[in-house]
Amino acid sequence: LIEPSVVTIKRAALHVRAFSKESKITTVCKFIDDVTIDDFIPNSQTIKIHLFSNILDVELFSMSNLQKLVTNSFGGENYFVCSSPYIDDYKTDRVDSFMRHFRDKYFGNFELLGEETNSKSDNSYWNCNKNFKGNPCFSHPTLCGCGEKWTRVIRVFKVNL
């Protein structure tokens, strides 16, 4: 886990441990551009799961440095779950460029497992802020706050580095 906030990274580690008590969790309390290969213990025999939630669309770090860091630090089988709200095509392309890097560089060892994009521009909202028993309410969008519907960009892929 990489996160510059101590409180947030501790909370994230608790959530991960709740799902898998046996997994080795490495926490790195730094900004992404400050992370180095020395912050990780390389092990090409283990399966790595990378969760990038609401970060790949942020322009406050170097995407190419992150791609090099992942490539040099995590040999072997890697799964990536990348999610972001749909903000605009430019921000979505940052998420896609991260995935394309691994697809193009490791073509024979890359597998797209899933992708989803729901945006305001194509009116394919994912869900609304108010729902009933887990279902978005389509019947009365102005009365329940459905004007604040959620968007999403999700890319899930596997690559052997």
Side-chain angles (χ1 to χ4, degrees):
L1 299 171
I2 302 169
E3 166 62 43
S5 163
V6 173
V7 172
T8 303
I9 202 164
K10 285 182 178 181
R11 178 94 175 165
L14 285 172
H15 286 289
V16 172
R17 282 192 186 97
F19 286 102
S20 179
K21 294 184 187 333
E22 299 82 31
S23 294
K24 167 76 171 124
I25 302 167
T26 302
T27 59
V28 179
C29 194
K30 295 181 178 180
F31 288 96
I32 291 177
D33 281 340
D34 297 329
V35 177
T36 68
I37 192 170
D38 296 328
D39 290 313
F40 305 106
I41 302 166
N43 185 342
S44 61
Q45 303 305 309
T46 62
I47 297 171
K48 277 70 68 183
I49 301 171
H50 307 273
L51 306 173
F52 290 95
S53 177
N54 294 5
I55 189 63
L56 293 176
D57 61 335
V58 175
E59 298 177 58
L60 298 175
F61 67 92
S62 167
M63 185 68 76
S64 62
N65 285 348
L66 175 61
Q67 292 162 338
K68 287 177 195 170
L69 179 69
V70 169
T71 299
N72 294 330
S73 302
F74 300 106
E77 192 172 352
N78 290 266
Y79 288 84
F80 293 83
V81 178
C82 309
S83 70
S84 169
Y86 178 89
I87 298 167
D88 58 34
D89 288 342
Y90 177 77
K91 299 257 188 199
T92 299
D93 190 56
R94 281 186 58 87
V95 177
D96 287 336
S97 72
F98 181 79
M99 182 182 70
R100 278 193 308 267
H101 166 80
F102 293 101
R103 182 195 67 200
D104 296 349
K105 190 167 182 175
Y106 301 96
F107 182 75
N109 294 316
F110 175 91
E111 182 181 354
L112 178 63
L113 301 173
E115 64 180 325
E116 189 75 44
T117 302
N118 301 103
S119 69
K120 293 178 182 177
S121 61
D122 64 9
N123 208 22
S124 66
Y125 294 101
W126 170 44
N127 205 342
C128 70
N129 283 339
K130 307 268 186 188
N131 56 43
F132 180 71
K133 294 185 180 178
N135 298 307
C137 45
F138 296 108
S139 59
H140 44 72
T142 56
L143 300 175
C144 68
C146 285
E148 302 298 320
K149 294 181 181 177
W150 301 344
T151 59
R152 66 180 171 178
V153 174
I154 299 174
R155 305 295 183 259
V156 181
F157 61 96
K158 172 185 170 183
V159 66
N160 212 344
L161 301 175

